[in-house]
Amino acid sequence: MGNAIVLSGGLLNKLDAKTTHGLLRGTERFTIQAVIDHANAGKDAGEVMDGKHLNMPVYASVGAALEALPTRPDYCIVGVATIGGVLPPTMLEEIRLALGHGISIVNGLHDFLSEKPEIVALAEANNATLIDVRKPKRRADLHFWEAKIFSVTAPIVAVIGMDCATGKRTTARFLRDACRAKGHKAQMIYTGQTGWMQGGEYGFIFDSTLNDFISGELEHAIVSCWTETQADIIFLEGQSALRNPSGPCGSEFLISGNAKKVVLVVPIKREYFDDLPEWGPIPSVESEIALIKAYGAEVVALALNTRGASEAEIAAYQQEYASKLGIPVVAPLEEGVDRIVEVLLPEL
């Protein structure tokens, strides 16, 4: 769609900036020029995110970015995913400044800019567009489940997490790209706002869809993708977790989406859901695999979220669980996902 800057609101090194992280790791929809983050100004965004240099500048404000960038961005993207989808109040001033320069805003939060009269007026006055990615579809545009999913003959693989913000979308993109690198026609179904921002062609925004139509929207995305692309394999981006009490999710992918294979994403240093003791402890990997099996699907690999873990801890976890479960245990950010793809190749 054009050049873009991304607002991370001082959270660039936090999990709440996972939309920014996703865009930095790859997007076919925008060309990212810079990150706006007052707490990390002057640094390289990749080094702040995960210690890997990306040659991506971080500026303290939209104003500083506009002074430094050789070309004006077309879009300013809200790059955070807060609990409840609330827009951080401190971001409003940056949004106003961007709109004042005729820069359109892409917002992935539940807090819709198109419902703020002052922001709407400012956008109209400067010929800018407000894109609320999470705004629900009209009833007429929603699909109900019709059992068409059973016509899909390509393997459907769900990437499901043990918790929120574990790397499900990133793992699914890595798997799609690794399969394509080996010459297979692989596709990914996005189910969140960041997946759309990264250029996803097939999918829907799970958490802003009326519950009665989630199964149908999922089915429609998968069937449309398979029919139109003749994909060899389809990966589903999971949402939340099967047993996260704030938003249990995952059975839809296994039942309505007919995914018979699962890559389970495990945050190895996280003890509680969303790191909040009052939300309860994250269950064991073994019990999660048993639950997924009860739904009629098979966990074919573990993908590790290694945030906060040392190299020694990662290696020890991989060795223990690969031996215990007899499946690949992979750290995607550190080593890629080729070992998982090797397991899936017989299906293609």
Side-chain angles (χ1 to χ4, degrees), residues 135-152:
K135 201 156 193 178
K137 290 182 178 181
R138 297 180 310 149
R139 164 63 188 88
D141 296 327
L142 291 168
H143 299 84
F144 199 76
W145 194 82
E146 299 179 283
K148 292 180 179 178
I149 192 69
F150 300 126
S151 68
V152 178

PDB file of all heavy atoms in Angstrom, residues 135-152:
ATOM      1  N   LYS A 135     -12.438  -3.386  12.769  1.00  0.00           N
ATOM      2  CA  LYS A 135     -13.853  -3.033  12.724  1.00  0.00           C
ATOM      3  C   LYS A 135     -14.636  -4.219  12.162  1.00  0.00           C
ATOM      4  O   LYS A 135     -14.295  -4.769  11.115  1.00  0.00           O
ATOM      5  CB  LYS A 135     -14.074  -1.798  11.857  1.00  0.00           C
ATOM      6  CG  LYS A 135     -15.382  -1.095  12.155  1.00  0.00           C
ATOM      7  CD  LYS A 135     -15.335   0.369  11.768  1.00  0.00           C
ATOM      8  CE  LYS A 135     -16.527   1.101  12.358  1.00  0.00           C
ATOM      9  NZ  LYS A 135     -16.507   2.547  12.060  1.00  0.00           N
ATOM     10  N   PRO A 136     -15.693  -4.647  12.851  1.00  0.00           N
ATOM     11  CA  PRO A 136     -16.429  -5.850  12.419  1.00  0.00           C
ATOM     12  C   PRO A 136     -17.026  -5.704  11.020  1.00  0.00           C
ATOM     13  O   PRO A 136     -17.394  -4.608  10.593  1.00  0.00           O
ATOM     14  CB  PRO A 136     -17.531  -5.981  13.470  1.00  0.00           C
ATOM     15  CG  PRO A 136     -17.024  -5.246  14.665  1.00  0.00           C
ATOM     16  CD  PRO A 136     -16.217  -4.106  14.121  1.00  0.00           C
ATOM     17  N   LYS A 137     -17.114  -6.840  10.339  1.00  0.00           N
ATOM     18  CA  LYS A 137     -17.777  -6.863   9.042  1.00  0.00           C
ATOM     19  C   LYS A 137     -19.273  -6.616   9.208  1.00  0.00           C
ATOM     20  O   LYS A 137     -19.846  -6.864  10.272  1.00  0.00           O
ATOM     21  CB  LYS A 137     -17.594  -8.235   8.376  1.00  0.00           C
ATOM     22  CG  LYS A 137     -16.194  -8.555   7.909  1.00  0.00           C
ATOM     23  CD  LYS A 137     -16.206  -9.920   7.234  1.00  0.00           C
ATOM     24  CE  LYS A 137     -14.846 -10.301   6.696  1.00  0.00           C
ATOM     25  NZ  LYS A 137     -14.884 -11.625   6.018  1.00  0.00           N
ATOM     26  N   ARG A 138     -19.897  -6.168   8.130  1.00  0.00           N
ATOM     27  CA  ARG A 138     -21.351  -6.074   8.118  1.00  0.00           C
ATOM     28  C   ARG A 138     -21.946  -7.483   8.145  1.00  0.00           C
ATOM     29  O   ARG A 138     -21.340  -8.427   7.662  1.00  0.00           O
ATOM     30  CB  ARG A 138     -21.834  -5.358   6.862  1.00  0.00           C
ATOM     31  CG  ARG A 138     -21.382  -3.916   6.709  1.00  0.00           C
ATOM     32  CD  ARG A 138     -21.939  -3.341   5.428  1.00  0.00           C
ATOM     33  NE  ARG A 138     -21.674  -4.224   4.289  1.00  0.00           N
ATOM     34  CZ  ARG A 138     -22.476  -4.334   3.233  1.00  0.00           C
ATOM     35  NH1 ARG A 138     -23.608  -3.668   3.176  1.00  0.00           N
ATOM     36  NH2 ARG A 138     -22.154  -5.151   2.223  1.00  0.00           N
ATOM     37  N   ARG A 139     -23.129  -7.596   8.711  1.00  0.00           N
ATOM     38  CA  ARG A 139     -23.786  -8.910   8.780  1.00  0.00           C
ATOM     39  C   ARG A 139     -23.888  -9.539   7.385  1.00  0.00           C
ATOM     40  O   ARG A 139     -23.677 -10.751   7.229  1.00  0.00           O
ATOM     41  CB  ARG A 139     -25.180  -8.739   9.402  1.00  0.00           C
ATOM     42  CG  ARG A 139     -26.126  -9.917   9.193  1.00  0.00           C
ATOM     43  CD  ARG A 139     -25.607 -11.196   9.859  1.00  0.00           C
ATOM     44  NE  ARG A 139     -26.427 -12.336   9.481  1.00  0.00           N
ATOM     45  CZ  ARG A 139     -26.225 -13.085   8.410  1.00  0.00           C
ATOM     46  NH1 ARG A 139     -25.244 -12.791   7.557  1.00  0.00           N
ATOM     47  NH2 ARG A 139     -26.987 -14.124   8.160  1.00  0.00           N
ATOM     48  N   ALA A 140     -24.163  -8.726   6.382  1.00  0.00           N
ATOM     49  CA  ALA A 140     -24.340  -9.265   5.027  1.00  0.00           C
ATOM     50  C   ALA A 140     -23.057  -9.860   4.460  1.00  0.00           C
ATOM     51  O   ALA A 140     -23.097 -10.650   3.509  1.00  0.00           O
ATOM     52  CB  ALA A 140     -24.850  -8.159   4.095  1.00  0.00           C
ATOM     53  N   ASP A 141     -21.920  -9.492   5.043  1.00  0.00           N
ATOM     54  CA  ASP A 141     -20.636  -9.975   4.527  1.00  0.00           C
ATOM     55  C   ASP A 141     -20.104 -11.186   5.291  1.00  0.00           C
ATOM     56  O   ASP A 141     -19.036 -11.711   4.962  1.00  0.00           O
ATOM     57  CB  ASP A 141     -19.597  -8.848   4.588  1.00  0.00           C
ATOM     58  CG  ASP A 141     -19.951  -7.686   3.683  1.00  0.00           C
ATOM     59  OD1 ASP A 141     -20.547  -7.923   2.623  1.00  0.00           O
ATOM     60  OD2 ASP A 141     -19.635  -6.534   4.047  1.00  0.00           O
ATOM     61  N   LEU A 142     -20.816 -11.617   6.321  1.00  0.00           N
ATOM     62  CA  LEU A 142     -20.372 -12.741   7.133  1.00  0.00           C
ATOM     63  C   LEU A 142     -20.854 -14.070   6.560  1.00  0.00           C
ATOM     64  O   LEU A 142     -21.875 -14.137   5.872  1.00  0.00           O
ATOM     65  CB  LEU A 142     -20.886 -12.581   8.568  1.00  0.00           C
ATOM     66  CG  LEU A 142     -20.265 -11.443   9.381  1.00  0.00           C
ATOM     67  CD1 LEU A 142     -21.061 -11.204  10.649  1.00  0.00           C
ATOM     68  CD2 LEU A 142     -18.800 -11.741   9.704  1.00  0.00           C
ATOM     69  N   HIS A 143     -20.099 -15.123   6.860  1.00  0.00           N
ATOM     70  CA  HIS A 143     -20.427 -16.457   6.353  1.00  0.00           C
ATOM     71  C   HIS A 143     -20.748 -17.400   7.507  1.00  0.00           C
ATOM     72  O   HIS A 143     -20.117 -17.344   8.564  1.00  0.00           O
ATOM     73  CB  HIS A 143     -19.249 -17.024   5.551  1.00  0.00           C
ATOM     74  CG  HIS A 143     -18.883 -16.204   4.359  1.00  0.00           C
ATOM     75  ND1 HIS A 143     -18.053 -15.094   4.453  1.00  0.00           N
ATOM     76  CD2 HIS A 143     -19.244 -16.299   3.060  1.00  0.00           C
ATOM     77  CE1 HIS A 143     -17.913 -14.560   3.249  1.00  0.00           C
ATOM     78  NE2 HIS A 143     -18.631 -15.266   2.392  1.00  0.00           N
ATOM     79  N   PHE A 144     -21.709 -18.272   7.277  1.00  0.00           N
ATOM     80  CA  PHE A 144     -22.032 -19.308   8.248  1.00  0.00           C
ATOM     81  C   PHE A 144     -21.390 -20.617   7.788  1.00  0.00           C
ATOM     82  O   PHE A 144     -21.197 -20.836   6.595  1.00  0.00           O
ATOM     83  CB  PHE A 144     -23.555 -19.473   8.368  1.00  0.00           C
ATOM     84  CG  PHE A 144     -23.977 -20.158   9.634  1.00  0.00           C
ATOM     85  CD1 PHE A 144     -23.971 -19.470  10.841  1.00  0.00           C
ATOM     86  CD2 PHE A 144     -24.364 -21.488   9.643  1.00  0.00           C
ATOM     87  CE1 PHE A 144     -24.355 -20.095  12.021  1.00  0.00           C
ATOM     88  CE2 PHE A 144     -24.746 -22.126  10.809  1.00  0.00           C
ATOM     89  CZ  PHE A 144     -24.747 -21.426  12.000  1.00  0.00           C
ATOM     90  N   TRP A 145     -21.047 -21.472   8.729  1.00  0.00           N
ATOM     91  CA  TRP A 145     -20.365 -22.735   8.408  1.00  0.00           C
ATOM     92  C   TRP A 145     -21.299 -23.628   7.580  1.00  0.00           C
ATOM     93  O   TRP A 145     -22.480 -23.770   7.890  1.00  0.00           O
ATOM     94  CB  TRP A 145     -19.972 -23.444   9.697  1.00  0.00           C
ATOM     95  CG  TRP A 145     -18.995 -24.568   9.502  1.00  0.00           C
ATOM     96  CD1 TRP A 145     -17.645 -24.482   9.375  1.00  0.00           C
ATOM     97  CD2 TRP A 145     -19.322 -25.963   9.428  1.00  0.00           C
ATOM     98  NE1 TRP A 145     -17.088 -25.729   9.225  1.00  0.00           N
ATOM     99  CE2 TRP A 145     -18.096 -26.665   9.250  1.00  0.00           C
ATOM    100  CE3 TRP A 145     -20.505 -26.686   9.486  1.00  0.00           C
ATOM    101  CZ2 TRP A 145     -18.041 -28.044   9.142  1.00  0.00           C
ATOM    102  CZ3 TRP A 145     -20.451 -28.060   9.372  1.00  0.00           C
ATOM    103  CH2 TRP A 145     -19.217 -28.722   9.208  1.00  0.00           C
ATOM    104  N   GLU A 146     -20.751 -24.233   6.497  1.00  0.00           N
ATOM    105  CA  GLU A 146     -21.580 -24.999   5.565  1.00  0.00           C
ATOM    106  C   GLU A 146     -21.049 -26.397   5.261  1.00  0.00           C
ATOM    107  O   GLU A 146     -21.528 -27.061   4.349  1.00  0.00           O
ATOM    108  CB  GLU A 146     -21.714 -24.237   4.239  1.00  0.00           C
ATOM    109  CG  GLU A 146     -22.369 -22.874   4.354  1.00  0.00           C
ATOM    110  CD  GLU A 146     -22.443 -22.175   3.015  1.00  0.00           C
ATOM    111  OE1 GLU A 146     -21.395 -21.650   2.548  1.00  0.00           O
ATOM    112  OE2 GLU A 146     -23.532 -22.152   2.425  1.00  0.00           O
ATOM    113  N   ALA A 147     -20.030 -26.852   5.978  1.00  0.00           N
ATOM    114  CA  ALA A 147     -19.432 -28.171   5.755  1.00  0.00           C
ATOM    115  C   ALA A 147     -18.619 -28.258   4.471  1.00  0.00           C
ATOM    116  O   ALA A 147     -18.227 -29.349   4.054  1.00  0.00           O
ATOM    117  CB  ALA A 147     -20.494 -29.276   5.782  1.00  0.00           C
ATOM    118  N   LYS A 148     -18.334 -27.113   3.856  1.00  0.00           N
ATOM    119  CA  LYS A 148     -17.505 -27.120   2.659  1.00  0.00           C
ATOM    120  C   LYS A 148     -16.047 -27.459   2.976  1.00  0.00           C
ATOM    121  O   LYS A 148     -15.283 -27.838   2.086  1.00  0.00           O
ATOM    122  CB  LYS A 148     -17.566 -25.754   1.969  1.00  0.00           C
ATOM    123  CG  LYS A 148     -18.925 -25.427   1.357  1.00  0.00           C
ATOM    124  CD  LYS A 148     -18.906 -24.054   0.688  1.00  0.00           C
ATOM    125  CE  LYS A 148     -20.258 -23.738   0.065  1.00  0.00           C
ATOM    126  NZ  LYS A 148     -20.263 -22.382  -0.559  1.00  0.00           N
ATOM    127  N   ILE A 149     -15.662 -27.310   4.243  1.00  0.00           N
ATOM    128  CA  ILE A 149     -14.276 -27.566   4.641  1.00  0.00           C
ATOM    129  C   ILE A 149     -13.852 -28.991   4.294  1.00  0.00           C
ATOM    130  O   ILE A 149     -12.680 -29.269   4.015  1.00  0.00           O
ATOM    131  CB  ILE A 149     -14.099 -27.301   6.159  1.00  0.00           C
ATOM    132  CG1 ILE A 149     -12.615 -27.272   6.537  1.00  0.00           C
ATOM    133  CG2 ILE A 149     -14.857 -28.321   6.991  1.00  0.00           C
ATOM    134  CD1 ILE A 149     -11.862 -26.096   6.008  1.00  0.00           C
ATOM    135  N   PHE A 150     -14.810 -29.916   4.262  1.00  0.00           N
ATOM    136  CA  PHE A 150     -14.475 -31.316   4.025  1.00  0.00           C
ATOM    137  C   PHE A 150     -14.122 -31.603   2.565  1.00  0.00           C
ATOM    138  O   PHE A 150     -13.689 -32.712   2.240  1.00  0.00           O
ATOM    139  CB  PHE A 150     -15.618 -32.216   4.491  1.00  0.00           C
ATOM    140  CG  PHE A 150     -15.930 -32.069   5.955  1.00  0.00           C
ATOM    141  CD1 PHE A 150     -17.220 -31.781   6.381  1.00  0.00           C
ATOM    142  CD2 PHE A 150     -14.933 -32.193   6.914  1.00  0.00           C
ATOM    143  CE1 PHE A 150     -17.511 -31.631   7.731  1.00  0.00           C
ATOM    144  CE2 PHE A 150     -15.205 -32.041   8.264  1.00  0.00           C
ATOM    145  CZ  PHE A 150     -16.505 -31.757   8.673  1.00  0.00           C
ATOM    146  N   SER A 151     -14.290 -30.593   1.709  1.00  0.00           N
ATOM    147  CA  SER A 151     -13.878 -30.752   0.315  1.00  0.00           C
ATOM    148  C   SER A 151     -12.396 -30.436   0.115  1.00  0.00           C
ATOM    149  O   SER A 151     -11.816 -30.764  -0.920  1.00  0.00           O
ATOM    150  CB  SER A 151     -14.708 -29.831  -0.598  1.00  0.00           C
ATOM    151  OG  SER A 151     -14.394 -28.465  -0.355  1.00  0.00           O
ATOM    152  N   VAL A 152     -11.769 -29.816   1.115  1.00  0.00           N
ATOM    153  CA  VAL A 152     -10.361 -29.429   1.003  1.00  0.00           C
ATOM    154  C   VAL A 152      -9.487 -30.663   1.201  1.00  0.00           C
ATOM    155  O   VAL A 152      -9.556 -31.326   2.242  1.00  0.00           O
ATOM    156  CB  VAL A 152      -9.999 -28.344   2.038  1.00  0.00           C
ATOM    157  CG1 VAL A 152      -8.515 -27.986   1.945  1.00  0.00           C
ATOM    158  CG2 VAL A 152     -10.866 -27.104   1.839  1.00  0.00           C
TER     159      VAL A 152
END
